[in-house]
Amino acid sequence: MSPYLTSLASKEGDNNAKGLRHVAQHLDADPTLLSTSLDPFTITTSTGFMPWHTPIVDLPQAFDALTKILEEIPIVKEDGTPGLLATYQLGPTIDNGALPDLLSKIDELQTVDGKPDLALATAAFRDYAFLASAYLLEPCWERWNKGLEGYGLGRAILPKCIAGPLVKTAKLLDIPPFMSYAAAYTLYNYRFANQSTGASDYSNLRLVRAFERGLDPTSSEAGFVLTHVDMVKHSGSLVKGATQLLDAVACNAGTETINDAFDLLLDTMKVVEESMESMWSHSKPKDYLSYRTFIFGITNQSMFPDGVIYEGENDGKPMSFRGESGANDSMIPLLDGLLQIPMPTNPLTEILKDFRSYRPKPHREFLAAVREQAEEVGVREHCCRDVETTVRYLRLLEHVRSFRWRHWLFAREYIIRRSTHPTATGGSPIVTWLPNQLQAVMKLMTSTWEGISAEQRAGVSKDVVEMMENVVDQRDKLQKEVDRWCQERGQ
């Protein structure tokens, strides 16, 4: 792990003791009135974990050389012709000096009052992160595309013209200088075909940057990214429901107030999961491994056994960062913290904690504050005092279970059945990591259900009883499936 990433982890820990509204000062703000000197991922109850403004597509004219290369990168460009990655020419193009060092231009990304413009900084981070991953992983893509075994080795040195601006924008945003889920590949990588329609209609979403065929909105790469956008657009209600629940428990509000907060969370998760289910039609499992090549990280990957040297940075010492991963989304971690889902003490959970550092700073601080406040007021204990609220608590846990189960199915069908590579893009073990969290939530559901007396269970609706029967059955089936995959793959 690089010293840079270690410092990020410690900063998050410093925020754990801060109150919810202390770290999310704009929680109830109108996002249209916010300044671009704020992090685009500043949390409000209307925008949730999405950027509070539509992502910036075009950088200022000073970055035209960067923009031109990015437009030429995709394997299939927007006009349908082959791009630089199609012929493995990105590396030679960069190495031959096509991109000037624009480090000094980052300082010019300012608001009218002279503050760093973090909206523009995020757009620059996104663009340099795309270029960095394409450059470093191009040899791996070439090997994979030619049908050779394994991914081989990526490039071990990131040129100064990419490394410098990438590190500088990352420091402005307080995130690691590598392709990230929120600030680069997904949540700051969409635009609208029709601005007036906005995000209300999935078909109106388009990618800003892509590696493979993603500039075609019907492609699997576009579907993979934009389905996540479509899911997270509902997160404002999750943030609102979580804050309402914490406030209600903190002031010992009545059951009705607490249940209203639960109902908002339950209704929202239903819509989120419906959107998540559309992944199967928006992004085909058979297509995933192709563009997946470009979202691998450095940490725990065979392609980068000695890390990567960022020219001009870290005294020339190699650095290592985790890759882009949907596991870095903030919705389920919000519910993990709010519902006080205990995770087992093991190396897999340590990876889960390490992922926290890869989220935008406002997300990290907010999630840390939610975990702290939920622990302080005792959400789990408070919500299990009466059967009606306990059932709502169980139903929300069921959404966490269902979400994680579907994520496991995605991993199984898109990756495990199709690749022997042992690690996910974020550097976690591909077979055992997701089940670690899935088993944890099912264990809590089981213990919570067992805490309800037989007499009280008799009055619970049939669908809840069936839900819990499914949990017991799934715990056993999941463990057997994981054991089988580990045995077959020699892990």
Side-chain angles (χ1 to χ4, degrees):
M1 181 181 293
S2 79
Y4 185 72
L5 186 55
T6 301
S7 70
L8 282 176
S10 65
K11 285 180 182 178
E12 183 192 7
D14 292 341
N15 288 318
N16 278 351
K18 295 181 179 179
L20 200 60
R21 283 179 170 78
H22 179 84
V23 300
Q25 297 179 12
H26 303 280
L27 201 57
D28 302 313
D30 178 352
T32 64
L33 302 179
L34 297 179
S35 167
T36 55
S37 64
L38 292 172
D39 193 303
F41 291 97
T42 296
I43 293 173
T44 75
T45 53
S46 57
T47 54
F49 297 120
M50 292 285 279
W52 58 262
H53 62 263
T54 305
I56 291 175
V57 174
D58 300 313
L59 288 172
Q61 188 176 358
F63 293 88
D64 280 356
L66 170 65
T67 301
K68 182 179 179 181
I69 291 174
L70 285 164
E71 290 173 347
E72 293 295 320
I73 278 180
I75 293 164
V76 178
K77 296 190 295 183
E78 191 166 17
D79 63 5
T81 60
L84 291 171
L85 289 174
T87 53
Y88 324 119
Q89 290 302 303
L90 174 61
T93 298
I94 296 297
D95 294 343
N96 289 332
L99 179 66
D101 188 346
L102 302 174
L103 180 62
S104 63
K105 300 300 180 182
I106 301 297
D107 291 328
E108 298 176 11
L109 302 178
Q110 297 182 348
T111 61
V112 292
D113 55 356
K115 296 178 181 178
D117 189 318
L118 296 189
L120 283 171
T122 303
F125 172 84
R126 174 198 64 212
D127 286 0
Y128 276 105
F130 260 87
L131 183 54
S133 289
Y135 179 88
L136 293 173
L137 289 157
E138 183 180 42
C140 304
W141 153 252
E142 179 177 2
R143 186 177 178 86
W144 185 89
N145 194 43
K146 290 179 176 179
L148 301 176
E149 184 178 353
Y151 287 104
L153 296 176
R155 293 189 170 101
I157 299 176
L158 188 65
K160 187 177 181 180
C161 62
I162 304 175
L166 180 58
V167 168
K168 190 157 194 172
T169 52
K171 286 182 177 178
L172 284 171
L173 300 169
D174 200 0
I175 55 178
F178 200 79
M179 172 68 70
S180 68
Y181 166 81
Y185 193 56
T186 302
L187 300 185
Y188 211 76
N189 188 33
Y190 71 92
R191 60 181 179 84
F192 302 133
N194 185 323
Q195 196 67 29
S196 62
T197 302
S200 61
D201 185 349
Y202 173 86
S203 66
N204 193 47
L205 297 174
R206 300 289 187 274
L207 290 188
V208 177
R209 305 291 178 216
F211 292 114
E212 192 204 30
R213 302 172 183 270
L215 298 181
D216 173 359
T218 66
S219 69
S220 286
E221 183 182 16
F224 177 72
V225 175
L226 296 177
T227 298
H228 284 88
V229 173
D230 192 62
M231 291 160 56
V232 183
K233 75 181 184 185
H234 302 290
S235 61
S237 294
L238 290 182
V239 169
K240 185 176 182 180
T243 55
Q244 287 178 352
L245 181 59
L246 287 170
D247 288 345
V249 173
C251 67
N252 200 24
T255 301
E256 183 178 352
T257 303
I258 290 174
N259 288 347
D260 284 347
F262 267 115
D263 289 344
L264 176 58
L265 291 165
L266 289 166
D267 290 344
T268 304
M269 281 305 298
K270 182 176 184 292
V271 178
V272 168
E273 288 206 78
E274 287 172 353
S275 175
M276 187 181 190
E277 184 65 18
S278 70
M279 180 70 79
W280 299 107
S281 59
H282 291 156
S283 185
K284 304 301 182 185
K286 66 180 179 62
D287 298 336
Y288 179 64
L289 293 187
S290 181
Y291 54 88
R292 180 187 186 232
T293 305
F294 297 104
I295 57 176
F296 277 109
I298 304 169
T299 300
N300 295 339
Q301 300 295 354
S302 59
M303 301 85 89
F304 302 103
D306 301 313
V308 171
I309 293 173
Y310 282 44
E311 278 191 339
E313 305 294 333
N314 199 38
D315 297 325
K317 299 175 184 176
M319 296 195 287
S320 181
F321 303 103
R322 295 189 179 277
E324 189 280 336
S325 172
N328 288 337
D329 188 78
S330 295
M331 292 189 294
I332 292 302
L334 171 67
L335 298 182
D336 282 347
L338 179 68
L339 301 177
Q340 295 183 271
I341 301 175
M343 295 295 166
T345 302
N346 60 34
L348 296 172
T349 298
E350 290 306 307
I351 294 174
L352 180 72
K353 293 178 180 178
D354 194 25
F355 274 148
R356 294 172 182 171
S357 298
Y358 289 80
R359 298 187 179 105
K361 183 180 180 181
H363 289 199
R364 298 197 311 266
E365 293 182 338
F366 183 74
L367 294 177
V370 167
R371 290 194 301 272
E372 179 74 15
Q373 189 168 337
E375 183 73 23
E376 183 180 322
V377 302
V379 168
R380 185 171 63 207
E381 180 182 357
H382 192 99
C383 293
C384 292
R385 291 179 178 177
D386 67 87
V387 177
E388 183 182 359
T389 308
T390 302
V391 166
R392 280 179 167 81
Y393 179 81
L394 278 170
R395 288 188 187 277
L396 193 51
L397 286 174
E398 166 65 8
H399 275 295
V400 177
R401 182 212 62 80
S402 177
F403 189 105
R404 283 202 161 107
W405 177 256
R406 193 176 284 103
H407 193 180
W408 163 249
L409 294 182
F410 288 157
R412 189 183 71 189
E413 300 304 320
Y414 284 70
I415 305 169
I416 297 173
R417 291 191 189 278
R418 301 169 189 274
S419 171
T420 59
H421 192 70
T423 51
T425 54
S428 59
I430 191 64
V431 173
T432 56
W433 190 74
L434 289 172
N436 182 65
Q437 289 79 255
L438 183 50
Q439 289 285 14
V441 68
M442 290 194 289
K443 181 178 180 180
L444 177 58
M445 291 181 74
T446 302
S447 64
T448 302
W449 179 244
E450 290 172 348
I452 302 175
S453 68
E455 181 181 356
Q456 290 173 323
R457 287 189 206 175
V460 171
S461 62
K462 182 181 178 181
D463 69 303
V464 175
V465 175
E466 292 174 346
M467 177 183 80
M468 293 310 304
E469 289 173 348
N470 178 60
V471 168
V472 173
D473 182 57
Q474 195 176 91
R475 285 184 71 182
D476 181 56
K477 286 182 178 179
L478 176 63
Q479 190 56 56
K480 289 178 180 177
E481 184 176 15
V482 170
D483 290 343
R484 177 173 61 83
W485 281 115
C486 286
Q487 183 177 12
E488 289 181 5
R489 297 165 68 93
Q491 296 177 3

